Amino acid sequence: MANPPATFTGEIGIHYPLHVLNRYTLPELIGLAERAVKTMGPFGFTRVWTNDNLEYRSVLASSAAILASLPVKLGTAVTVPYFRNPIDVAMAFATMSELADGKEISLGLGPGSRSILTRHVVRTKPLTIMAELAVALRTLFAGATLDRRDIPTLADYFHLNSEHYALRFKTPAPIHLYYGPSLLKPAVLDLVARHFDGVILQTLYGIADMEASLTRLNDARLESGAREPLRKTMLLNASISRDRQAARQHAKRFVSHIVSGWPDDALVAKNIDPKAIQAVRQAYAENRGVDDAAALTPDEAVDRLIIAGTPDECVDRVRELFSLAARHGFSEIAIGVPLGPDVPEAIDLWGNEILPALK
């Protein structure tokens, strides 16, 4: 007899991709998070995750407002290292920790989407930048002095002149550094294993790729000699609505910037025709924004990468991902981009139908 699926017992979060949810004001987003606390609280809802893109709402201001308004934990998926210098990042999140009432902050870091970010800033030496940023933040959050010589690439990028930097106030709540969300290529594994407390894995890469990444990560973590096991958060990419077609069309806002940044061989591996993505790439290259790019995204890209449709259509695929999270010791599942065309409806559907069906 086959073993029953493992039951996930960790925490639940929700992801606010601020560039995808640009139709909502910050007060409206706070109200939606309050709705999630009420609706999904009985199922372990604890955290709101934000993200970082130029030209959209500030990840720093939005995160601080959410912490100040609601009894939730904070996460970022992700904060981008090229938009502000490491001292500023440390200052901002250490300040936010004063609003956290002792609750941990999960500071997700990542080099940013190639399809959007490289049109705005120079994306130099991403692995080096990420390693140095982790060193800088860990040092500063610990109340120690950061030497410029320990972050030479970051120091040059941001024209940092002082030989030493420190925070002149204490960080009252723990801040854990996460890498992601991205597919963990071999070159990234050592970086994550040595420098980060945790990792964020998106489900859009598929279960087989996630399983392979987790195996490689576990091996790399053991070889790194790190004392603590790697924390794992699953970012479950789904667009849910009573209106099936609306859910699928809305999903294209997220899928567009994912596929436009992938090389052709990665698209082919997911059975997506690279020729069908050329117009999407062009829309981002011309800085025409998410709306134009989404309108050019083919249906097949949605089918290959994310869960999109009605609750009844999606619940079995969601259950499979929750079981994977349980088997691999994930501490949290964040209900993620692109959520759905009507976020209040999506929150209610998760809290009233999908999560109860998984128990």
Side-chain angles (χ1 to χ4, degrees):
M1 179 180 296
N3 293 327
T7 300
F8 177 73
T9 58
E11 296 178 296
I12 301 293
I14 192 168
H15 186 216
Y16 276 176
L18 298 172
H19 65 301
V20 177
L21 298 179
N22 62 334
R23 65 195 186 278
Y24 293 100
T25 66
L26 180 54
E28 288 171 336
L29 289 173
I30 292 171
L32 291 172
E34 185 175 20
R35 187 186 193 113
V37 171
K38 293 177 180 177
T39 305
M40 294 190 284
F43 302 96
F45 179 84
T46 59
R47 194 185 314 269
V48 176
W49 294 80
T50 54
N51 83 333
D52 199 7
N53 281 284
L54 288 183
E55 302 184 330
Y56 297 90
R57 288 177 182 84
S58 164
V59 66
L60 302 181
S62 299
S63 298
I66 289 168
L67 271 179
S69 303
L70 296 169
V72 295
K73 298 177 183 178
L74 173 70
T76 66
V78 292
T79 300
V80 177
Y82 299 102
F83 298 162
R84 54 195 74 85
N85 75 58
I87 318 306
D88 189 35
V89 174
M91 290 160 44
F93 282 91
T95 301
M96 279 188 251
S97 74
E98 296 180 332
L99 301 171
D101 195 27
K103 295 186 289 290
E104 65 177 10
I105 291 176
S106 296
L107 176 49
L109 304 166
S113 166
R114 284 189 297 269
S115 59
I116 299 175
L117 184 137
T118 52
R119 312 299 174 185
H120 294 160
V121 297
V122 176
R123 189 176 182 267
T124 188
K125 299 181 179 179
L127 293 183
T128 301
I129 288 284
M130 290 293 292
E132 290 186 9
L133 181 59
V135 168
L137 294 178
R138 197 177 300 283
T139 300
L140 293 168
F141 291 149
T145 298
L146 174 66
D147 291 339
R148 186 188 188 279
R149 63 188 177 186
D150 291 334
I151 54 166
T153 306
L154 273 173
D156 288 344
Y157 190 90
F158 288 105
H159 307 289
L160 299 176
N161 291 327
S162 177
E163 292 301 316
H164 307 285
Y165 293 91
L167 294 184
R168 311 300 177 181
F169 63 103
K170 292 183 179 180
T171 304
I175 302 176
H176 300 294
L177 304 182
Y178 282 70
Y179 185 94
S182 71
L183 185 62
L184 297 176
K185 297 179 180 179
V188 179
L189 290 173
D190 184 65
L191 169 72
V192 176
R194 292 183 180 277
H195 291 288
F196 287 82
D197 303 307
V199 66
I200 305 163
L201 293 179
Q202 293 193 95
T203 61
L204 66 91
Y205 298 108
I207 286 179
D209 283 342
M210 290 179 69
E211 295 265 14
S213 290
L214 288 165
T215 298
R216 294 195 298 264
L217 258 181
N218 289 337
D219 291 343
R221 188 69 166 184
L222 288 173
E223 292 175 5
S224 75
R227 295 180 180 180
E228 299 292 331
L230 199 68
R231 297 163 179 256
K232 296 184 283 289
T233 291
M234 176 184 289
L235 190 56
L236 197 157
N237 303 116
S239 178
I240 307 292
S241 175
R242 292 272 183 222
D243 184 333
R244 178 180 186 273
Q245 191 58 29
R248 293 175 57 78
Q249 288 301 116
H250 177 70
K252 293 181 179 182
R253 293 178 61 82
F254 169 65
V255 172
S256 65
H257 83 79
I258 295 297
V259 295
S260 66
W262 280 6
D264 286 355
D265 59 343
L267 295 172
V268 170
K270 295 298 181 185
N271 296 315
I272 299 171
D273 182 2
K275 294 179 181 178
I277 306 302
Q278 291 307 315
V280 184
R281 289 171 171 164
Q282 189 65 27
Y284 281 119
E286 296 173 359
N287 198 27
R288 299 193 332 245
V290 171
D291 295 302
D292 278 4
L296 298 167
T297 302
D299 290 337
E300 68 175 9
V302 174
D303 295 331
R304 302 293 186 269
L305 298 183
I306 68 170
I307 298 171
T310 66
D312 286 344
E313 290 176 311
C314 298
V315 69
D316 286 341
R317 291 180 65 188
V318 170
R319 182 179 290 109
E320 188 176 12
L321 291 169
F322 268 60
S323 180
L324 181 148
R327 294 196 308 274
H328 287 278
F330 280 73
S331 59
E332 182 176 351
I333 294 176
I335 298 165
V337 281
L339 295 176
D342 183 327
V343 175
E345 178 198 41
I347 289 170
D348 289 346
L349 291 174
W350 274 97
N352 296 327
E353 298 187 28
I354 297 175
L355 292 175
L358 301 178
K359 294 298 183 179

